[in-house]
Amino acid sequence: MLTRREMLRVSATAAAALAVPRIAPAAEAKGFTLPKLPYAVDALEPSIDAETMTIHHDKHHQAYVDNLNKALAGQPEWLAKPIEEVVANYKKLPEAIQGAVRNNGGGHLNHSWFWQMMAKPGTGGEPKGELLKAIETSFGTLDGFKKEFLSAGLTQFGSGWAWLVVGKEKPLAITKSPNQDSPLMDGGKVLLGCDVWEHAYYLKYRNLRAKYVEAWFAVVNWNYVSELFAKK
Ligand code: MN3
């Protein structure tokens, strides 16, 4: 049996809950969330199998998001910033959390780009116009680009990424980075990135990273790369 005082408290709480919908104010930082894939998990087959896509997106990318939110739990103003801003400025954070934000913020940003930089085979278009001109000026031909990009992916020792970025001497340049480091951390402008961590290919390609990157070229979303290039 509830005492009269307890009953009053219970009903007062219930009334308050009814009267005041508990909606968090817009300014309250909720942290980062996992973006939805822009296609079905099997859309990029045969280049990328559905199981790899599912684990890569639902588990690996989710973990970067969760760990980034944990690392920034005491920094609500940082939780409200665009992820690009967090990654570009992580060295302004307290030293104790810089490493976690570098790894997990980089992971969140790189993967958020990566999903959009791919498209169902036959739907991503081909480089044309100004982008094609820039590729030819920088690498001779589209095949020249692919060769150099593949080489960056293969010579990245251990986990990391191969990147196509806006160049300094030529219009475009190819770089690579270890772990989840992002060219944005050094002010680079990213146009295309390929995840060469084993988690991106090992289920299907085992140790054959070259086979994965070659197959990956068939699902590059050149339409998206062109949009980024136009905004560079
Ligand atoms: Mn990955």
Side-chain angles (χ1 to χ4, degrees):
M1 285 287 284
L2 294 173
T3 65
R4 182 176 155 75
R5 196 208 258 170
E6 279 167 348
M7 274 177 67
L8 281 175
R9 199 174 57 220
V10 168
S11 55
T13 310
L18 280 176
V20 188
R22 294 190 55 83
I23 297 171
E28 190 175 302
K30 286 194 213 135
F32 297 94
T33 53
L34 182 69
K36 279 203 174 113
L37 282 177
Y39 32 68
V41 291
D42 60 355
L44 306 190
E45 294 213 19
S47 295
I48 297 177
D49 62 285
E51 190 184 9
T52 298
M53 184 59 89
T54 304
I55 297 171
H56 199 175
H57 175 267
D58 298 3
K59 305 294 180 191
H60 289 278
H61 190 170
Q62 182 72 63
Y64 297 125
V65 170
D66 293 345
N67 290 326
L68 175 62
N69 286 335
K70 248 181 253 168
L72 288 174
Q75 310 282 336
E77 71 284 12
W78 283 76
L79 283 173
K81 289 181 197 284
I83 184 60
E84 291 85 351
E85 216 180 293
V86 173
V87 170
N89 296 294
Y90 80 92
K91 284 178 186 157
K92 294 179 186 162
L93 280 161
E95 237 178 277
I97 60 170
Q98 282 184 16
V101 173
R102 175 182 186 169
N103 289 335
N104 296 292
H108 175 38
L109 175 62
N110 292 341
H111 287 84
S112 299
W113 280 333
F114 186 54
W115 312 131
Q116 298 182 76
M117 287 166 174
M118 300 185 288
K120 201 176 161 70
T123 69
E126 287 290 331
K128 48 183 192 272
E130 289 301 307
L131 176 61
L132 181 60
K133 239 189 262 173
I135 288 174
E136 288 172 346
T137 306
S138 310
F139 313 110
T141 59
L142 182 57
D143 274 347
F145 153 73
K146 286 182 181 174
K147 235 172 148 178
E148 207 174 307
F149 193 88
L150 175 65
S151 162
L154 295 186
T155 56
Q156 172 51 47
F157 183 75
S159 299
W161 292 75
W163 302 101
L164 175 68
V165 298
V166 174
K168 289 190 178 115
E169 284 118 46
K170 292 180 177 179
L172 303 173
I174 288 170
T175 63
K176 56 190 174 182
S177 65
N179 306 314
Q180 293 297 351
D181 283 0
S182 187
L184 192 62
M185 291 171 180
D186 303 312
K189 289 192 179 139
V190 167
L191 301 173
L192 181 63
C194 181
D195 187 343
V196 296
W197 281 57
E198 284 184 346
H199 69 222
Y201 62 88
Y202 208 85
L203 288 181
K204 182 176 166 103
Y205 298 95
R206 301 299 166 184
N207 57 319
L208 304 177
R209 189 186 283 187
K211 280 229 165 8
Y212 154 68
V213 178
E214 279 160 9
W216 175 83
F217 283 127
V219 294
V220 169
N221 187 351
W222 286 108
N223 297 326
Y224 183 70
V225 177
S226 297
E227 275 175 45
L228 295 179
F229 184 66
K231 284 189 272 187
K232 69 177 161 49

